Amino acid sequence: MAALKNYRHHFSSYFDDALCFGAKYLNDSVAHDSNIKKFFRFYYNDYIPVLAAEEDDFAGVADPCDARRRAAGADLEALIVSLAPGPDDAICFPSVDFYSLEGLVQNIEALKRAGNPKIMLRFIGVMENAAHGFADPLCVALANVRILIANGLNVRLSAETPRYAEMLAVALDAEVVVTPSIEHGSILPLPRHDFIHVICPGSARADKGFFDLESIFSHVRQRDPDLRVRFTTQVLPDKDIVHQQVYHAKLYALPGVTVLPTSVSAEEMAGLYASCDLVLLPYEKETYQFRGSAVLAEAVAYGRPVLTLEGTAFADQVRFFSIGDVLASRSELVEAILSFGATSRATRVARARHARRRYLSDLTSNYRGWVN
């Protein structure tokens, strides 16, 4: 939800107003706090099961894929009728999803009648792939983008990482702007403590290297019994912890390791960044071969360097913007953590400011190009 606030704030530079629309089943307080209008049906309960069966509009239907497709078209048609967009307006999908593309194709003529508003599609490698029943959802999604372009709609394409943008540009034979994650946090002063605090923020998942943390932490601890390096991470959701009790017990048992709940507030997260020196992102290259990292954007905004592994799409951004270091293996991560304390505070501050300026300058320029 915080990401939507960031996008609304950023797009206010280009448009008179920015309205956010989300699923009609959003929690009322979340929708209110983020100023999201509850509108669309939720097409992905089979993919992200958050609704009870009696709430799921597509539970028990004979052809759920077709039902979701038609629902997405009807929902978007209702939105077009409600807003009556014109040629100076834009319909933006900050994280485009499979069924919204289906809905756009169904509303080509309605969009033309509306004056052909900009259709801004941002690919981040997540929900465009979220469709059970299709052997290759992304292939279908890109076919729908080609249909939109071929029918003369004013489609503006972007992707979260340079690698993904290049792949899409070749596949679609179209211009694709690189639009990394937006984060509006202010750079934070470095903490005053006599150790290096390394954090692994965000949801604990296997594809984010969660099950490698115990090995990384323990190897550091063997070389650093005096706790000159300390760690903080979050744990798996409650439904998953029960299956990983031994692993969690090992994490809890390691000296100098703080384990936080799976969910923390925005204020708590900001405090975590304020207390840290270094952000560790040992993400899997297979899952993140095209995807970026919202945590990376947070780290840049708050002025904290990152360590990550070679092979992910956002490793290119770490290297290009000098956000931190990209290592070839987990053993190299351990060495980089242990040697980090040798860098002076003044050097760390200067590097953080340099990386932040480059990242934000590039981001602003690219988003302006996407909009205009």
Side-chain angles (χ1 to χ4, degrees):
M1 296 304 106
L4 282 178
K5 290 183 180 179
N6 292 336
Y7 275 93
R8 186 188 301 112
H9 175 79
H10 194 83
F11 284 131
S12 65
S13 302
Y14 310 112
F15 299 99
D16 294 333
D17 196 9
L19 305 175
C20 289
F21 295 87
K24 66 180 182 178
Y25 294 110
L26 272 177
N27 177 276
D28 286 338
S29 63
V30 171
H32 178 269
D33 292 345
S34 298
N35 196 20
I36 299 172
K37 299 179 184 297
K38 303 200 300 182
F39 191 88
F40 296 98
R41 279 167 281 191
F42 185 54
Y43 320 126
Y44 300 99
N45 206 51
D46 64 327
Y47 204 85
I48 308 173
V50 295
L51 302 178
E54 59 270 18
E55 295 179 303
D56 185 358
D57 294 293
F58 311 103
V61 300
D63 188 345
C65 290
D66 185 62
R68 294 185 183 99
R69 176 184 173 278
R70 288 185 286 104
D75 288 348
L76 187 57
E77 180 182 20
L79 184 68
I80 294 170
V81 170
S82 173
L83 295 180
D88 295 327
D89 298 317
I91 301 174
C92 178
F93 297 84
S95 169
V96 69
D97 65 282
F98 181 90
Y99 286 108
S100 287
L101 286 171
E102 292 279 325
L104 284 167
V105 168
Q106 294 173 57
N107 282 280
I108 288 173
E109 294 307 317
L111 289 164
K112 287 183 177 180
R113 289 193 299 271
N116 205 1
K118 296 173 185 174
I119 305 298
M120 300 174 62
L121 307 178
R122 180 171 180 262
F123 288 76
I124 71 169
V126 182
M127 298 309 293
E128 61 267 45
N129 299 293
H132 294 309
F134 294 88
D136 189 345
L138 182 60
C139 182
V140 179
L142 296 187
N144 281 330
V145 174
R146 293 187 189 96
I147 291 171
L148 297 174
I149 295 172
N151 278 273
L153 291 194
N154 188 5
V155 178
R156 306 295 182 88
L157 301 171
S158 77
E160 188 178 23
T161 65
R163 187 184 298 176
Y164 200 9
E166 180 183 4
M167 187 276 274
L168 293 172
V170 172
L172 296 169
D173 190 21
E175 179 181 357
V176 183
V177 178
V178 179
T179 50
S181 295
I182 298 173
E183 179 55 57
H184 289 295
S186 300
I187 195 165
L188 299 169
L190 290 179
R192 294 282 182 182
H193 46 218
D194 59 358
F195 58 90
I196 298 299
H197 183 198
V198 183
I199 66 170
C200 305
S203 56
R205 300 203 313 256
D207 59 21
K208 291 189 173 185
F210 177 71
F211 293 106
D212 293 314
L213 295 183
E214 189 273 335
S215 174
I216 294 170
F217 295 172
S218 61
H219 278 85
V220 171
R221 192 80 307 129
Q222 291 168 18
R223 304 263 301 277
D224 173 40
D226 297 327
L227 307 187
R228 291 178 293 106
V229 178
R230 302 179 191 181
F231 299 95
T232 298
T233 186
Q234 294 173 245
V235 296
L236 292 168
D238 290 344
K239 63 182 180 65
D240 298 321
I241 285 180
V242 67
H243 304 295
Q244 300 292 340
Q245 292 183 11
V246 172
Y247 183 80
H248 280 88
K250 290 181 179 179
L251 274 182
Y252 279 104
L254 282 170
V257 174
T258 299
V259 182
L260 299 178
T262 186
S263 179
V264 299
S265 69
E267 293 75 18
E268 290 170 324
M269 185 61 73
L272 187 61
Y273 277 103
S275 72
C276 86
D277 301 278
L278 182 63
V279 178
L280 179 62
L281 305 176
Y283 291 17
E284 290 182 353
K285 63 182 180 181
E286 291 80 10
T287 302
Y288 283 83
Q289 61 175 325
F290 295 116
R291 290 169 59 175
S293 168
V295 174
L296 177 65
E298 290 178 342
V300 175
Y302 290 131
R304 297 297 185 263
V306 306
L307 296 179
T308 193
L309 290 167
E310 191 68 76
T312 66
F314 67 83
D316 299 335
Q317 294 167 301
V318 171
R319 190 180 289 109
F320 180 78
F321 294 112
S322 302
I323 297 170
D325 289 310
V326 179
L327 292 314
S329 66
R330 283 159 180 80
S331 62
E332 289 190 11
L333 280 179
V334 170
E335 296 299 328
I337 292 169
L338 289 166
S339 64
F340 182 78
T343 304
S344 71
R345 289 175 61 88
T347 298
R348 288 157 55 193
V349 169
R351 285 177 176 171
R353 288 175 177 166
H354 171 71
R356 190 175 189 274
R357 281 194 296 267
R358 289 193 62 196
Y359 185 88
L360 294 180
S361 175
D362 188 82
L363 181 150
T364 300
S365 175
N366 286 2
Y367 271 86
R368 185 184 298 115
W370 185 34
V371 173
N372 297 325

